Amino acid sequence: MTRARFTDWDAEKVASHFRVDPGKGLDEQEAAERRKKVGTNSLSEGKKKSWIGLFIDQFKDFMVLVLMAATLISGLLGEYTDAIAIIAIVLLNAVLGFIQEVKAERSLHALKKLSAPRARVLRNGTWQRVDADQLVPGDIVAVTGGDRIPADLRFLKTETLYVEESALTGESVPVAKTATRLPSGDLPLGDRKNMGYMGTLAVRGNGIGVVIATGMNTEMGRIAHLIDTAEEVETPLKRRLEQLGKVLIVVALLLTALVVVTGILHGHDAYKMFLAGVSLAVAAIPEGLPAIVTVALALGVQRMIRRKAIVRKLPSVETLGCATVICSDKTGTLTQNKMTVTRIWTDGRMVEVTGTGHEPEGAFRADGREIRPLDHQPLRRVLEISALCVNARLVKETDKGGMFRRKKTEWTVDGDPTEGALVVAAAKAGLHQDRMQSEWRRIREFPFDHERKMMSVIVERKDGRKILYSKGAPDVLLDRCTHMLYQGKILPLTDALRAVVLKVNEELAGRALRNLAFAWRELDRSAENGKEWQLERGMIFAGLAGMMDPPREEVKESIKRCRQAGIRTVMITGDHQATAEAIAVELGIKRPGGLTVTGADLYNMSDEDFLRKVNDIDVYARVSPEHKLRIVKALQSQGHVVAMTGDGVNDAPAIKAADIGIAMGKSGTDVSREASSLVLADDNFATIVAAIEEGRNIYENIRKFIAYLLASNVGEILIMFLAMLAGLPLPLVPIQILWVNLVTDGLPAMALGVDPAEGTNMNRPPRDSREGIFARGVGWKIVTRGLLIGVCSLAAFWISWAESPADLARAQTVTFATLVFAQLIYVFDCRSRTTIFGRTPFDNKALVLAVLSSALMLLTVIYWQPLQPVFRTVPLGVREWILVAVTSSLPVLAAGLLDQLVPGRLRMRKTAAHGG
């Protein structure tokens, strides 16, 4: 049976073919058995490089190949000890690089899994959300506007469903979908109106379909082998570092050649100088710098995931530290996204409803005393409409707990949050939805849309009574009513009564409440089949419900932290101006003198006027998603780096245009998530601030180990170069140079990548996105520390060698120890923006352990007798260690003094303090 043939079957025949009841779906056991037969619903990711291949890649670097050639020459010349030692070090380096790459790959895999699409599927008669890769043929799946279709479907039911199928057909205009059978024949893909295909986008409406194909058996799977979906994201920083690396390679090779030539001219053995030169080049060239940056980014991404921020595009990690404006949605991001009914106005009096969240617990109070809502008929009517004229459900989820966890019950809303608030309010009064819907059978529904701004249902009671229940925007619903329930009577809706309703509506809105109106109409049997415009008129106005979405408790502090960090927060919402301003003032978003602009204002505002005012606008109210793109561009034109949040299909252009596009993980559509560079797993504004803090810290940590690696390499080259210029013996033998590189460049550099943020990280303005790697004092630190490390290490060599010229091995061991410890001390200097004493070393336990490990490795090759001939070391006494301690500490101490004395450095510090 070809996929095309399902188009000319009716829905019942398709469901029968897949042995599924469309009203219940598959059970979990049947789904698991089918998954075993057909596999998971995922496309092949292509051939991955094996672990052996990754390990071999570690030896493809040019300088490593040169070193291997030098090792071969050593072996041929009988220098077996040198050859074996060098091979061991190269292998150890390769193992470390291999471990880093495997870890980064696992991080990326975990990231892909976290950002995988979800699907709404009917299993065991219950709608639930599952990972899309768990779908099997025969599953009943629901899609709505904004969803990406998770598998190939044959639609069983559609309501104004339009799907954009350009990924398959090239046709950019959305296609209207139907559930009816089509004429027989092998129809072209674009003409299969009752089919939905994996990877296409539902842009409007709703639909329910049965899965007919999954994974590589889908239409998308058929063309998957033609598409290389693996895209390696290269960050701007990584690009700059690779360019820098090429320059450093040329400089290091020239200096190394100069060292070799100078040494030969001063009478040193040509072979030894060649081997020393190659070792120096390998140690001096930071060939692993881009890899370390990638690993640091991957580790940072993992930390962000733990803080509920999922990074989809690595460049956004760098950009986060430059953000100057956050444009945030209100609902669910600044607020809890748990709409709660707090006021009900009916029969001419106001009723207060207590309780927050989704728990159906609370009281009803009127005139300062508690009332029984079901004894008050007008209030009962409003609550009945609240329970029946909705599509949301109140769900009780129970965590059974465990040995160390208590049993936990949580109430959640499946559906629209506004409708959920109504269902919860009805449940608080004892009108539980399940019982109500068993007593009242829904016959028809006239769904809500943005043009109608109302929803109606026709329900039938067991006694045969039929009633039209409606809810919607107060002004819209008033226009459909001719009567009103007021002070115990049903009265004609006069202009005076209309004015009373509008005044109450305005008062509730002034308290930052979102208001819905309720109405009803008794129907006779002949009326139930009429058109909506015929039935939704002549209704009786029942009352108003005012609800609010309370602000998240942690958001106020997060906005304060943003202000301290030089980041402005702007609220963008579709809510009324009064509601938006009330929340903005409470959270501290609206500044004294800050402006509020509505969508109508924006529409009437010229681009020139908008650009003049954009920096003064704190709140955008009653705006449509289309306005977001204009806001982003206006802010960017003023030099801002903009983070923009969104969750809907129409938000995608603004999210994509923003410097940092942020999508909602819970409430967001697949379209908005795919356009984003960052996804909030908890839809929480505080998570954005946490991500910015983490992004700033990641970038600063990268700068720290750049400063550390390059200064260390400068010191290593200088000690050899200056010794050769002075006509001194070799201060280090080749194997020692390689060991220094392994001991100091490995673990300590990686530990800097996980350095905790400095306390002032969020007290500085954002970083200029155009700044170079060496900005804000990094270049100065590299030059001064590198020069001092080289000079002090050479001084240690000269002092030790001058005392006993015949004991060259002792002088080289002193130099070896001095160079290693100078770099291990300097690594703590790299942690602070000021001096080595600016931070306590125990803030970063990983770094302390890395330094102790490196020191232990050094002591092992100095004192363990079997390794002494390999590394040309001798045991050092107390006198030598005092020399090592003094000369290895001097670089950092002298550099701190130099920082205070040099005016240029003072200017750099001032720039650093004000430039982020």
Side-chain angles (χ1 to χ4, degrees):
M1 176 61 61
T2 64
R3 242 174 251 100
R5 285 294 304 277
F6 285 121
T7 58
D8 59 10
W9 286 6
D10 58 32
E12 291 76 13
K13 188 175 180 180
V14 177
S16 174
H17 175 80
F18 286 101
R19 305 191 310 279
V20 62
D21 181 347
K24 293 183 179 179
L26 300 175
D27 60 45
E28 293 292 347
Q29 184 178 350
E30 176 65 21
E33 289 176 2
R34 294 190 185 189
R35 199 177 302 114
K36 286 180 183 177
K37 293 179 183 178
V38 301
T40 59
N41 179 36
S42 56
L43 299 180
S44 172
E45 294 185 8
K47 190 176 179 181
K48 288 186 176 180
K49 188 167 284 189
S50 67
W51 283 12
I52 294 174
L54 285 174
F55 186 69
I56 291 173
D57 282 349
Q58 308 305 313
F59 300 95
K60 291 182 179 180
D61 184 81
F62 172 72
M63 293 311 302
V64 173
L65 294 175
V66 172
L67 186 60
M68 296 293 285
T71 306
L72 178 62
I73 294 171
S74 296
L76 294 174
L77 293 175
E79 299 286 346
Y80 299 119
T81 303
D82 279 353
I84 292 170
I86 292 171
I87 287 174
I89 290 174
V90 169
L91 283 172
L92 192 53
N93 261 319
V95 168
L96 288 174
F98 168 74
I99 291 171
Q100 289 170 0
E101 286 206 27
V102 168
K103 190 167 185 177
E105 190 175 292
R106 283 178 176 171
S107 299
L108 206 60
H109 178 72
L111 191 64
K112 286 182 178 179
K113 191 172 180 181
L114 278 167
S115 58
R118 306 266 291 169
R120 193 161 178 253
V121 62
L122 185 64
R123 293 263 175 89
N124 300 320
T126 303
W127 287 103
Q128 53 188 278
R129 286 204 172 273
V130 301
D131 291 337
D133 62 5
Q134 296 301 298
L135 295 179
V136 295
D139 264 328
I140 304 299
V141 173
V143 295
T144 189
D147 289 345
R148 185 169 289 281
I149 293 178
D152 283 6
L153 310 175
R154 165 62 162 87
F155 288 114
L156 307 178
K157 181 181 178 182
T158 61
E159 290 181 6
T160 60
L161 179 64
Y162 285 79
V163 178
E164 194 266 294
E165 298 180 328
S166 61
L168 284 174
T169 65
E171 177 59 55
S172 59
V173 178
V175 178
K177 293 295 181 178
T178 179
T180 58
R181 56 181 294 187
L182 301 176
S184 59
D186 196 0
L187 297 173
L189 208 62
D191 293 338
R192 302 177 195 172
K193 308 292 187 184
N194 54 12
M195 305 285 285
Y197 296 104
M198 175 193 253
T200 58
L201 301 175
V203 296
R204 180 185 168 195
N206 303 286
I208 294 175
V210 58
V211 175
I212 62 167
T214 59
M216 295 303 290
N217 294 320
T218 61
E219 291 293 341
M220 191 65 76
R222 286 185 173 188
I223 61 171
H225 67 281
L226 301 175
I227 305 171
D228 182 10
T229 55
E231 181 182 344
E232 184 178 349
V233 179
E234 189 178 57
T235 72
L237 177 62
K238 189 176 178 183
R239 268 199 308 275
R240 290 202 297 269
L241 287 176
E242 286 178 348
Q243 294 164 358
L244 172 66
K246 291 173 184 176
V247 174
L248 291 175
I249 286 173
V250 173
V251 173
L253 288 176
L254 288 174
L255 288 173
T256 302
L258 191 58
V259 168
V260 174
V261 171
T262 306
I264 293 172
L265 291 176
H266 279 83
H268 290 286
D269 180 73
Y271 162 70
K272 288 185 177 179
M273 288 307 304
F274 167 73
L275 197 57
V278 172
S279 301
L280 186 60
V282 170
I285 296 169
E287 70 280 344
L289 199 55
I292 293 176
V293 169
T294 302
V295 173
L297 287 170
L299 292 173
V301 163
Q302 290 300 305
R303 288 197 302 274
M304 284 187 174
I305 288 172
R306 288 195 290 272
R307 298 180 78 169
K308 307 296 186 185
I310 302 170
V311 177
R312 297 189 67 255
K313 299 172 185 175
L314 276 182
S316 65
V317 176
E318 296 171 33
T319 315
L320 278 168
C322 307
T324 59
V325 176
I326 302 173
C327 295
S328 175
D329 278 336
K330 178 180 74 69
T331 305
T333 309
L334 298 172
T335 59
Q336 296 179 23
N337 200 20
K338 292 183 178 179
M339 293 297 294
T340 306
V341 174
T342 62
R343 297 285 189 280
I344 296 176
W345 183 82
T346 182
D347 200 31
R349 67 173 175 170
M350 190 70 71
V351 178
E352 179 188 357
V353 185
T354 65
T356 60
H358 295 149
E359 289 73 22
E361 298 175 3
F364 294 77
R365 292 193 178 97
D367 302 322
R369 57 189 179 86
E370 191 168 323
I371 62 171
R372 294 166 59 94
L374 300 187
D375 292 343
H376 189 267
Q377 193 57 37
L379 179 56
R380 181 182 182 123
R381 176 75 73 177
V382 170
L383 294 171
E384 280 183 355
I385 300 173
S386 298
L388 295 172
C389 188
V390 292
N391 288 318
R393 292 176 61 247
L394 183 61
V395 181
K396 183 179 182 181
E397 297 179 349
T398 303
D399 181 352
K400 295 180 179 178
M403 186 179 295
F404 303 105
R405 291 184 295 113
R406 290 183 177 181
K407 182 178 179 180
K408 183 181 178 183
T409 300
E410 184 178 359
W411 292 88
T412 60
V413 166
D414 182 10
D416 181 75
T418 301
E419 291 191 344
L422 299 177
V423 174
V424 171
K428 288 176 181 177
L431 295 176
H432 294 282
Q433 192 177 28
D434 292 341
R435 194 174 72 224
M436 292 286 295
Q437 291 178 347
S438 67
E439 295 175 359
W440 295 79
R441 182 173 66 92
R442 182 184 294 191
I443 299 174
R444 290 183 69 186
E445 174 188 342
F446 303 125
F448 175 90
D449 64 44
H450 291 288
E451 292 179 5
R452 282 165 35 79
K453 295 184 179 180
M454 63 179 292
M455 170 189 176
S456 299
V457 294
I458 299 176
V459 292
E460 181 182 25
R461 197 160 181 160
K462 289 181 179 179
D463 59 7
R465 229 173 110 214
K466 293 186 177 66
I467 302 179
L468 176 81
Y469 280 149
S470 295
K471 73 174 192 304
D475 54 340
V476 172
L477 218 59
L478 274 173
D479 288 342
R480 307 290 180 101
C481 294
T482 56
H483 291 74
M484 175 178 171
L485 181 58
Y486 189 66
Q487 295 181 348
K489 300 176 182 178
I490 296 177
L491 304 174
L493 184 59
T494 62
D495 290 342
L497 286 178
R498 185 185 298 270
V500 169
V501 174
L502 293 175
K503 184 180 179 182
V504 172
N505 182 55
E506 189 176 331
E507 289 174 358
L508 290 174
R511 298 179 185 177
L513 299 181
R514 178 185 296 176
N515 303 327
L516 277 179
F518 302 87
W520 87 96
R521 177 190 172 191
E522 299 275 353
L523 297 178
D524 55 34
R525 187 172 298 277
S526 62
E528 78 176 58
N529 296 318
K531 302 290 185 182
E532 63 183 49
W533 61 269
Q534 295 172 317
L535 298 177
E536 293 177 333
R537 64 180 184 178
M539 294 190 291
I540 303 168
F541 190 84
L544 296 167
M547 61 193 75
M548 71 175 298
D549 183 7
R552 292 179 181 265
E553 293 179 4
E554 66 276 17
V555 166
K556 191 169 185 177
E557 180 61 29
S558 297
I559 289 170
K560 183 179 178 182
R561 293 186 68 205
C562 279
R563 193 179 299 112
Q564 291 173 343
I567 304 168
R568 187 160 65 93
T569 305
V570 174
M571 178 196 288
I572 302 177
T573 179
D575 261 353
H576 289 283
Q577 180 173 342
T579 305
E581 284 189 326
I583 296 291
V585 169
E586 183 177 348
L587 291 176
I589 291 174
K590 198 166 190 298
R591 302 165 295 176
L595 302 179
T596 299
V597 168
T598 65
D601 296 333
L602 272 180
Y603 182 79
N604 295 318
M605 199 180 293
S606 68
D607 289 340
E608 292 76 15
D609 287 342
F610 185 36
L611 289 177
R612 279 195 298 269
K613 294 179 179 179
V614 71
N615 285 322
D616 299 319
I617 301 171
D618 293 332
V619 180
Y620 294 88
R622 299 302 283 172
V623 297
S624 65
E626 289 80 2
H627 288 128
K628 286 188 173 183
L629 185 59
R630 188 180 179 195
I631 295 168
V632 168
K633 291 183 175 179
L635 287 167
Q636 287 173 330
S637 71
Q638 298 296 302
H640 288 290
V641 176
V642 182
M644 170 65 77
T645 70
D647 55 10
V649 177
N650 292 335
D651 292 331
I655 291 174
K656 198 167 186 178
D659 300 279
I660 308 161
I662 303 172
M664 302 297 110
K666 286 183 176 179
S667 61
T669 59
D670 290 338
V671 182
S672 62
R673 283 194 287 268
E674 290 197 9
S676 70
S677 48
L678 191 72
V679 177
L680 304 184
D682 57 358
D683 293 8
N684 191 343
F685 180 86
T687 303
I688 303 175
V689 182
I692 288 175
E693 181 180 17
E694 198 64 61
R696 285 188 176 191
N697 191 41
I698 290 169
Y699 188 84
E700 289 304 315
N701 285 349
I702 289 171
R703 282 164 45 87
K704 288 173 190 176
F705 62 64
I706 288 172
Y708 172 66
L709 288 178
L710 295 189
S712 299
N713 291 355
V714 167
E716 291 164 17
I717 291 177
L718 277 179
I719 188 174
M720 299 294 286
F721 180 60
L722 294 175
M724 294 304 96
L725 280 181
L728 297 173
L730 281 174
L732 295 168
V733 296
I735 194 71
Q736 290 172 346
I737 296 172
L738 291 173
W739 190 250
V740 170
N741 188 54
L742 177 68
V743 168
T744 61
D745 285 8
L747 294 175
M750 286 307 303
L752 275 179
V754 294
D755 199 36
E758 290 189 66
T760 59
N761 199 16
M762 290 295 283
N763 294 336
R764 301 191 301 269
R767 185 183 82 248
D768 189 333
S769 59
R770 296 164 298 180
E771 78 167 24
I773 296 170
F774 301 126
R776 293 184 283 131
V778 169
W780 167 264
K781 206 161 202 170
I782 290 169
V783 172
T784 55
R785 274 55 166 184
L787 180 63
L788 288 167
I789 287 171
V791 169
C792 291
S793 299
L794 184 61
F797 172 74
W798 184 82
I799 292 169
S800 183
W801 176 71
E803 285 183 352
S804 180
D807 197 356
L808 181 59
R810 183 169 300 279
Q812 289 174 332
T813 304
V814 168
T815 311
F816 182 33
T818 300
L819 185 60
V820 169
F821 275 106
Q823 293 183 15
L824 294 181
I825 293 170
Y826 167 56
V827 76
F828 292 103
D829 184 31
C830 291
R831 295 187 64 227
S832 176
R833 297 167 63 87
T834 54
T835 69
I836 192 171
F837 304 108
R839 301 182 70 184
T840 170
F842 298 103
D843 287 344
N844 188 341
K845 293 182 177 63
L847 182 59
V848 173
L849 289 173
V851 167
L852 289 175
S853 301
S854 298
L856 184 61
M857 292 168 71
L858 171 68
L859 295 175
T860 301
V861 300
I862 291 177
Y863 286 103
W864 193 29
Q865 195 170 359
L867 291 179
Q868 289 173 353
V870 176
F871 288 91
R872 308 291 195 273
T873 58
V874 297
L876 300 179
V878 175
R879 193 157 176 262
E880 285 88 357
W881 278 115
I882 292 173
L883 177 61
V884 169
V886 172
T887 51
S888 61
S889 303
L890 270 176
V892 167
L893 297 174
L897 182 63
L898 194 63
D899 289 349
Q900 299 296 324
L901 295 177
V902 178
R905 173 57 184 163
L906 294 177
R907 285 196 297 271
M908 288 182 202
R909 181 173 298 144
K910 188 176 180 181
T911 302
H914 296 285

